[in-house]
Every structure is written in C-alpha cells, then in structure tokens.
Amino acid sequence: EDKVVQSPLSLVVHEGDTVTLNCSYEVTNFRSLLWYKQEKKAPTFLFMLTSSGIEKKSGRLSSILDKKELFSILNITATQTGDSAVYLCAVARAGGTSYGKLTFGQGTILTVHP
Amino acid sequence: GAVVSQHPSWVICKSGTSVKIECRSLDFQATTMFWYRQFPKQSLMLMATSNEGSKATYEQGVEKDKFLINHASLTLSTLTVTSAHPEDSSFYICSARGEGVGSDTQYFGPGTRLTVL
C-alpha cells in the first residue's frame, strides 16, 4: 500500500524563523512529488518535483527531492504570519489505472506567531 | 491560469435528499478530474477519478451508487450525493488535471462544505 508520511505533524514558530518540513514516501511506480499549501479552503499548488537534487524555489519557499532516500523537504525562510497553513505533500503514481492519482500525506500544520 | 471552480461552496440539506456539486475548469480543458473528501483535521481522501466521456473509477470502499459522478465535458464534472445521511457531511473538493498545465499537477477547486441534517 502506498504511504506518504509527513513530519512534524505540527510546528509553531515566530516570524522570521526558518522551518523545514519533511515528507517521506513509499510508492510503487513513483512519478512525481507535489507540495500544496492549504489554508481555509482547498489546497493551492506550490511545487512539483520529479528529479533528485534539483531545488525548486519560489520566493522564500524552496523544495528538493531525494529519490534514492525517498523523501523531500520544503523550506520556508523568514516566515511570516501569512505562512500559517497546512502543508500537504502528495505523490503521483505512473502507469495504468493509477496514472495521475495523488496519495496525500497527513499534512503539517504550521503556525507562525508575530 | 489553471483555475477550478466549485459550486455550491456550501450546502445544508435534509437527510434522504440528493445534492449535486459541480466542478469546472475555467481556463483549461481537464481530461481528468478527481473528487476528494476531507474530514476535519485530516488529509484529503481520494474518492474517485472522473474521465471525460467514460465511467468514473472509484476507490476501494467508496459506494458508486451513492456518489454518482458525471464528466460530460472537458470542463465540467459533477458529483451527486444520493440519499444523503449525516455521516456524508464533509468537505468535498475536486481537482482537475489538464494536459497543458503540467500532467501531474492537480489544481483544486475551493471545495464544498456539505452538512446533512
């Protein structure tokens, strides 16, 4: 059975801190790993990673994938209160009837205090 | 780009009635849409995969006769919760994956909060 595990489950920091969120996975026919941010409603897309060792960056957020060790990290530098959200990691499978389906981790709840 | 809308955003209904939720891709064609449900403080659980012009594929444990899915066009999928009961109360979210916007990336609608009394 496919598994996506995120850690920590929750994190409380102060503005300006840097945080690292972890995502490990066991998925047959791995295709890609995606990060989403969920505030009150539906998840918004952050990154999609397919290759090991290549960092994706967007502003203060960055992410990298290690396909050998089967994990990814999401870094947020100089956190702001607007970064408070649930961060979801998901893995896409390749091939057959599972093509394109995402398996989600349980999420990391990030709270940034002023 | 890659905007997905859902309607309604919330609905309250009586037990035994049916509720239809619409999911639209507004600025791209979505050959595949997905329906999820999410319970409070839990992650997204995939219910079914909806392919345009063919029958939906349901995940194990999801009753296809209870959760009817129709994907009649490349921009619209509907989920009908039939004979709703209080245990069907949940947050239902759709996502759409289009060929031109990154084949694995799913763009999510804003969700529909269903409350069954």
Side-chain angles (χ1 to χ4, degrees):
Chain A
E1 188 182 324
D2 294 343
K3 245 190 238 183
V4 179
V5 177
Q6 291 183 245
S7 64
L9 292 182
S10 68
L11 193 52
V12 179
V13 300
H14 287 94
E15 273 192 320
D17 289 349
T18 292
V19 297
T20 298
L21 310 183
N22 303 294
C23 175
S24 63
Y25 61 91
E26 291 175 31
V27 173
T28 51
N29 286 331
F30 172 88
R31 182 178 166 91
S32 62
L33 185 144
L34 297 91
W35 284 97
Y36 287 87
K37 176 183 181 183
Q38 185 175 26
E39 295 173 86
K40 296 207 169 158
K41 293 198 171 177
T44 53
F45 172 73
L46 295 175
F47 299 112
M48 182 175 78
L49 303 147
T50 54
S51 302
S52 274
I54 299 173
E55 186 184 53
K56 292 253 176 134
K57 201 169 168 62
S58 175
R60 297 177 292 103
L61 277 67
S62 63
S63 183
I64 198 160
L65 173 68
D66 186 328
K67 288 166 75 172
K68 186 180 171 190
E69 299 297 329
L70 307 183
F71 78 90
S72 173
I73 59 172
L74 175 69
N75 275 324
I76 308 175
T77 58
T79 52
Q80 301 171 357
T81 54
D83 295 326
S84 297
V86 177
Y87 289 84
L88 294 167
C89 169
V91 176
R93 295 171 249 171
T97 56
S98 295
Y99 176 71
K101 289 185 184 178
L102 296 182
T103 300
F104 280 87
Q106 68 275 59
T108 294
I109 303 170
L110 174 65
T111 304
V112 182
H113 288 308
Chain B
V3 178
V4 177
S5 71
Q6 244 179 281
H7 178 78
S9 55
W10 59 269
V11 57
I12 301 172
C13 69
K14 290 183 180 178
S15 193
T17 60
S18 294
V19 174
K20 182 188 276 190
I21 303 169
E22 291 187 351
C23 177
R24 292 180 188 273
S25 56
L26 296 185
D27 52 1
F28 67 102
Q29 293 186 328
T31 52
T32 306
M33 290 183 173
F34 301 87
W35 287 95
Y36 297 83
R37 68 188 293 183
Q38 187 176 34
F39 292 105
K41 298 193 178 176
Q42 293 189 27
S43 193
L44 281 77
M45 184 191 81
L46 179 65
M47 298 174 65
T49 304
S50 167
N51 292 298
E52 186 266 339
S54 63
K55 287 185 182 178
T57 306
Y58 290 82
E59 295 300 300
Q60 198 170 8
V62 178
E63 296 177 61
K64 62 180 181 182
D65 294 330
K66 180 164 185 65
F67 299 100
L68 300 178
I69 291 171
N70 183 274
H71 193 153
S73 77
L74 285 171
T75 59
L76 173 64
S77 176
T78 61
L79 168 69
T80 301
V81 183
T82 62
S83 187
H85 290 287
E87 57 266 30
D88 298 325
S89 298
S90 189
F91 191 52
Y92 292 86
I93 309 176
C94 73
S95 70
R97 179 172 63 87
E99 297 304 322
V101 293
S103 60
D104 288 339
T105 304
Q106 292 180 22
Y107 293 90
F108 287 83
T112 297
R113 172 85 49 203
L114 171 64
T115 303
V116 185
L117 302 176

